[in-house]
Amino acid sequence: MVLTGAEIVVRCLQEEKVEYVFGYPGGAVLFLYDELFKQDQVRHVLVRHEQAAVHAADGYARCTDKVGVALVTSGPGATNAVTGIATAYCDSIPLVIISGQVPTAAIGQDAFQEVDTVGITRPCVKHNYLVKDVREVASTIRKAFYLAASGRPGPVLVDIPKDVCTQKCEFDYPREITMRSYNPVTKGHLGQIRKALQLLLEAERPMIYSGGGVILSDAAEKLTRLARLLGFPVTSTLMGLGGYPASDGQFLGMLGMHGTYEANMGMHYSDVLLAVGARFDDRVIGDPRHFGQEPRKIIHIDIDPSSISKRVKVDVPIVGNVADVLDEMIRQIESGGARPEQDALDTWWKQIDEWRRRECLKYKNSDEIIKPQYVVEKLWEVTGGDAFVTSDVGQHQMWAAQYYKFEKPRRWLNSGGLGTMGVGLPYAMGAQLAHPGSPVACITGEASIQMCIQELSTCKQFRLPIKIVNLNNRYLGMVRQWQELFHGGRYSESYMDSLPDFAKLAEAYGHIGIRVDTPADVEGALREAFKQKNELVFLDFQVDQTENVYPMVQGGKGLTEMILSAEDL
Amino acid sequence: MRHVISLLIENESGALSRVSGLFSARGYNIESLTVAPTEDASLSRMTIVTTGSDDIIEQINKQLNKLVEVVKVVDISESAHIERELLLIKVRATGKDREEMKRMADIFRGRIIDATDTSYVIEMTGNQQKLDSFVAAIDGAAILETARSGVVGVGRGERVLKV
């Protein structure tokens, strides 16, 4: 069948069973939009800014096991998308971004809305393509989906010049893709797995350190099974939350800069560490030299060889898909019959329980002023711990991670690697579209929410009943916290002046807005909001301006050098 | 430590930027980088001379392998190998220096491939040190222009870099 380039693009999206395309039209993509108009299999979500298109596609991918798709025009459409692409890249989220480009003859002529999209996005994509020949459109899009979802996932951009959309060729969607230059490993090396198990079974102070890779490879159940077989403590990175049930006794909470005392101490003093789909980044282990002071054997499972021994030397690297490797480990333990040394493990658990008794997440609640932690705790109660929760970046993000106890994978959506303020609302849009009928909460702050506030309009158009939990402390909270602790209390440009009345703003967009001033009203407001099954409710909580996130490991310090509360200062 | 990394990469537009961009983004050194298509026109061979600790070199290898269009990566300096570089150097050749310049070129097994009343262009191949030595041995003031190709190399014996 002979089709135009634009028809082919849309046919490819249909072949890939794409449910939603998040995008924004413009000159270079007019033909593509014309084809989208003529069909109703692939639905288009019109955002109000291209950054949000990519974030929403990214959010959609995070809470499903599908590839998110965004469509933007050339020039500013593409540059606006860059923050979204980089955000997805840092967290290894599978996306396909289709960008329009000026006609091939105009490329390099400084044409209207021309920018070197492939050049600009090259450092923040897994791969990208400029398609100059209509005969390559189908195979390139097929490759893009394959690359995005396989191996270590990531965003793939396909840049399509306007004239390619109008040229014609025979359409044939390739089923199989083979690339001689790209063959990601899945199964782990059996010898390495055996070595790892031997270390684990001999361990006296073992620790399982799980990361976003567990979520991305849908290996939460396998991780849980392995951890229970072994009886080992489990800690998780920010990105890995939900990979192991938070209510389980073996879970020590999140580790790292704002991790729990028991998780950080356990991580530091472990003698055998099993890292699963995590990458020892600076927010997790702090100073690698400090971390290296304690002798320990490290086993590292990761699909990306370049993540292994990058910041910390690893003793037993296992390159492979987390789910496959964990499967093999479980199989070998179950068939081998050997179990860890129980006496040593009991002693280790005693030590961990002692650390736990510090109750590092305890905070002083108040009857007068709303504590942000209290709001998150109540949100957890009201939603039965079962909501899809998105966050932006800053203090509220850490409180969400600390106090919303995630039981299941793909329920927690936030920007871990790039730390992009503004993702919360578009992530919630992606999540709500992927899971209509499920509760979706966006925990945010008055600064972050303003970075993509225009999407309240998209939410209205697509009837997305998201619940926005705005922890409004009138400050760039995390910046203010660092300024208080490390910059002599000089609050340089961290005060958020001239804030809008968020409740009225939400109403202006056609939603429900509620301002909450006192702790007594927190739970009622949340219950009222979640009763509104068909409405977006913007809850503007006026919270304590001086509250800080603890525990805290100062940047560049070691994991055991924690500030547990203001009294530690 | 100095390393010579050879790789095969799909001969697509932008392939060179992917590699050079990787080095600049991650702060790795490039001493020289050469690239040209192989006997299979769909593949290019790149030779990169870089320096770094063992950890850095390990990361460079891994990061290069991670690039979607890279087919194969070999650190040819890990075992016996041959390196060559081409030098084209234009020198002043007048008066008594003219004869001296010819003699030096002969000693280093260079060839004069262009001559005017006042200048020579000398072509010379060899490893980096040989070319450095030649440039150091002639009168610096006589050098008008130099063009060096950067290093290319292959492993000795049976080892081959091929798809």
Side-chain angles (χ1 to χ4, degrees), chain A residues 210-235:
Chain A
S210 113
V214 172
I215 310 289
L216 291 168
S217 78
D218 290 312
E221 263 177 50
K222 288 171 180 128
L223 175 75
T224 309
R225 183 121 169 265
L226 178 74
R228 287 188 179 147
L229 262 177
L230 293 167
F232 289 176
V234 182
T235 180

Side-chain angles (χ1 to χ4, degrees), chain A residues 309-545:
Chain A
S309 291
K310 184 169 67 181
R311 298 191 77 236
V312 165
K313 264 276 168 229
V314 167
D315 301 281
V316 184
I318 306 174
V319 176
N321 181 27
V322 165
D324 289 319
V325 175
L326 292 180
D327 239 359
E328 180 58 28
M329 285 182 137
I330 293 167
R331 204 188 59 75
Q332 288 200 18
I333 293 174
E334 283 179 338
S335 63
R339 290 293 180 272
E341 229 284 76
Q342 204 51 47
D343 285 350
L345 203 50
D346 289 344
T347 314
W348 178 227
W349 271 112
K350 245 179 235 152
Q351 171 66 70
I352 289 170
D353 287 336
E354 206 169 291
W355 288 327
R356 273 178 166 165
R357 278 195 285 278
R358 295 287 289 261
E359 297 189 302
C360 66
L361 291 181
K362 223 168 153 185
Y363 63 95
K364 214 175 276 167
N365 210 351
S366 157
D367 294 335
E368 320 264 297
I369 188 157
I370 301 174
K371 292 287 181 179
Q373 301 96 320
Y374 175 70
V375 179
V376 179
E377 281 184 334
K378 283 291 154 194
L379 175 68
W380 179 79
E381 267 180 50
V382 168
T383 56
D386 204 26
F388 289 87
V389 177
T390 76
S391 89
D392 277 298
V393 171
Q395 284 186 320
H396 68 268
Q397 176 191 25
M398 292 299 115
W399 286 317
Q402 290 174 331
Y403 294 93
Y404 199 98
K405 310 287 181 195
F406 292 94
E407 295 289 307
K408 297 177 193 162
R410 296 193 183 274
R411 293 297 170 114
W412 166 233
L413 290 70
N414 82 127
S415 167
L418 195 67
T420 308
M421 289 170 72
V423 297
L425 184 53
Y427 276 1
M429 288 161 34
Q432 191 73 78
L433 284 162
H435 302 281
S438 296
V440 175
C442 165
I443 301 180
T444 182
E446 81 293 331
S448 281
I449 191 68
Q450 292 191 82
M451 287 212 181
C452 273
I453 192 90
Q454 76 285 345
E455 297 309 315
L456 283 174
S457 177
T458 312
C459 293
K460 186 66 192 174
Q461 183 180 345
F462 293 87
R463 297 187 180 81
L464 304 176
I466 295 159
K467 309 299 174 247
I468 297 173
V469 177
N470 189 32
L471 302 178
N472 185 343
N473 61 1
R474 285 84 78 205
Y475 270 108
L476 286 169
M478 193 57 93
V479 172
R480 191 204 57 73
Q481 174 167 345
W482 282 57
Q483 287 171 336
E484 178 190 333
L485 301 182
F486 315 121
H487 295 276
R490 293 178 298 279
Y491 300 126
S492 178
E493 302 299 321
S494 54
Y495 182 66
M496 277 277 130
D497 206 341
S498 306
L499 285 170
D501 179 331
F502 285 105
K504 275 193 188 152
L505 183 66
E507 282 167 15
Y509 276 106
H511 304 300
I512 299 172
I514 304 174
R515 179 184 159 114
V516 188
D517 290 282
T518 59
D521 293 335
V522 169
E523 186 172 344
L526 283 166
R527 288 201 187 280
E528 177 54 36
F530 280 94
K531 244 185 250 159
Q532 299 289 339
K533 297 279 180 224
N534 301 316
E535 299 287 337
L536 182 149
V537 183
F538 194 120
L539 295 159
D540 186 22
F541 293 98
Q542 307 300 307
V543 301
D544 189 348
Q545 290 189 285

Side-chain angles (χ1 to χ4, degrees), chain B residues 11-137:
Chain B
N11 189 5
E12 302 277 346
S13 70
L16 176 60
S17 336
R18 286 184 210 281
V19 174
S20 61
L22 165 67
F23 275 74
S24 63
R26 294 191 182 264
Y28 305 142
N29 298 314
I30 299 183
E31 218 169 83
S32 74
L33 188 159
T34 70
V35 58
T38 63
E39 75 282 4
D40 171 354
S42 69
L43 280 176
S44 291
R45 179 165 175 144
M46 229 176 251
T47 311
I48 304 162
V49 179
T50 182
T51 53
S53 62
D54 290 352
D55 290 349
I56 300 267
I57 299 297
E58 183 184 334
Q59 267 298 311
I60 289 176
N61 268 295
K62 286 173 168 176
Q63 294 291 348
L64 284 170
N65 269 303
K66 196 168 146 183
L67 291 176
V68 167
E69 283 169 346
V70 169
V71 183
K72 229 172 201 176
V73 181
V74 175
D75 184 345
I76 60 167
S77 53
E78 270 186 339
S79 54
H81 69 286
I82 303 153
E83 286 174 32
R84 287 294 179 268
E85 186 173 357
L86 169 68
L87 164 73
L88 294 180
I89 186 165
K90 189 179 286 180
V91 291
R92 198 181 309 284
T94 49
K96 65 175 174 40
D97 295 339
R98 194 171 172 88
E99 197 42 39
E100 173 62 11
M101 197 55 82
K102 166 117 181 37
R103 258 200 306 276
M104 288 303 283
D106 287 343
I107 291 168
F108 280 85
R109 290 189 204 91
R111 294 196 303 143
I112 295 169
I113 55 172
D114 187 43
T116 67
D117 293 354
T118 55
S119 70
Y120 286 148
V121 173
I122 301 166
E123 169 199 65
M124 187 178 293
T125 58
N127 60 25
Q128 263 182 320
Q129 289 113 311
K130 174 186 159 183
L131 302 186
D132 289 345
S133 307
F134 174 70
V135 173

